[in-house]
Amino acid sequence: MVPYSIKFFENPVINITDEELESLKLIYDLLSSQLKAPARPYSSMALGALCEVLFFNTLGIYSSRQDTSTHKTRKEELITDFVQLLEENFKRERAVAFYAGKLFVTPKHLSAVLKEVSDKTAGEWIDQRVILEAKVLLRSTGLNIQEISAMLNFANQSFFGKYFRHLTGMSPRDYRSKLSET
């Protein structure tokens, strides 16, 4: 997302085709009708999913318009490479040193570049990605907390629970219970 956010600031407006506009309108109409519909179980989850569909379709259209012939700065390359590495490894690796080593920079430099561009250090990026995955697994799978803990390569369920609570303010069980209330 960060490499695209840099491009968004530089080029906030793009032209889209009639077909792309029509597909975005369809998603918007679904979102609009969901907002007007009476509240039902899982309504908020359906709204969230439609927002994600709209967002990712828009991002896909935008990213397809990016000029790949332009030269990226070293910082842009570092961020892009970090995000790709993070996506490939976040379930196994949570150490900034791992990512910095793969990118041939120091952990301090990696964190400084990310902080400059996104106001988040490399460690915060890693934690945010792990927590996002944990929330998705808690919300959309029938896996128990121990299975999710193992999937995300935590030593045990207790450590996963402490990590989750530290970053979200609630336990994984409380998070899942809160979802079932909406």
Side-chain angles (χ1 to χ4, degrees):
M1 294 302 298
V2 170
Y4 288 114
S5 66
I6 293 168
K7 296 296 181 188
F8 288 143
F9 288 117
E10 294 171 359
N11 305 301
V13 178
I14 61 169
N15 292 319
I16 62 174
T17 66
D18 290 339
E19 293 82 20
E20 291 165 335
L21 178 61
E22 193 58 38
S23 72
L24 292 175
K25 281 183 179 178
L26 285 171
I27 299 165
Y28 175 80
D29 289 343
L30 278 171
L31 186 60
S32 183
S33 67
Q34 183 70 28
L35 281 168
K36 293 174 187 171
R40 298 183 296 271
Y42 307 106
S43 291
S44 63
M45 291 177 76
L47 279 171
L50 287 169
C51 287
E52 286 181 27
V53 169
L54 182 61
F55 172 78
F56 285 114
N57 274 295
T58 304
L59 181 61
I61 292 168
Y62 190 88
S63 63
S64 70
R65 298 297 193 289
Q66 292 306 301
D67 182 9
T68 56
S69 65
T70 60
H71 180 69
K72 288 183 180 178
T73 67
R74 174 65 183 129
K75 286 181 182 178
E76 289 173 332
E77 285 180 17
L78 182 63
I79 291 166
T80 301
D81 292 346
F82 170 74
V83 170
Q84 182 176 347
L85 266 176
L86 182 60
E87 280 304 307
E88 294 168 1
N89 296 286
F90 74 91
K91 289 181 182 177
R92 293 181 307 277
E93 284 292 337
R94 288 185 293 281
V96 175
F98 168 83
Y99 296 96
K102 293 281 189 188
L103 296 167
F104 305 104
V105 296
T106 66
K108 185 175 179 178
H109 178 71
L110 177 60
S111 282
V113 169
L114 288 166
K115 181 82 170 172
E116 180 184 323
V117 174
S118 68
D119 288 332
K120 292 182 188 157
T121 65
E124 290 169 329
W125 269 84
I126 295 164
D127 288 343
Q128 183 178 356
R129 184 61 185 97
V130 171
I131 289 297
L132 177 63
E133 186 71 10
K135 286 180 174 180
V136 167
L137 292 170
L138 287 165
R139 178 178 59 217
S140 59
T141 70
L143 297 173
N144 65 41
I145 294 169
Q146 186 172 356
E147 291 169 325
I148 293 170
S149 170
M151 269 182 100
L152 296 176
N153 201 31
F154 283 88
N156 56 51
Q157 181 179 337
S158 175
F159 184 68
F160 170 64
K162 289 175 186 172
Y163 180 87
F164 192 92
R165 181 183 297 276
H166 173 72
L167 293 168
T168 65
M170 66 179 74
S171 71
R173 191 171 321 283
D174 291 343
Y175 178 79
R176 188 173 259 172
S177 295
K178 185 178 175 187
L179 289 173
S180 64
E181 293 172 4
T182 56

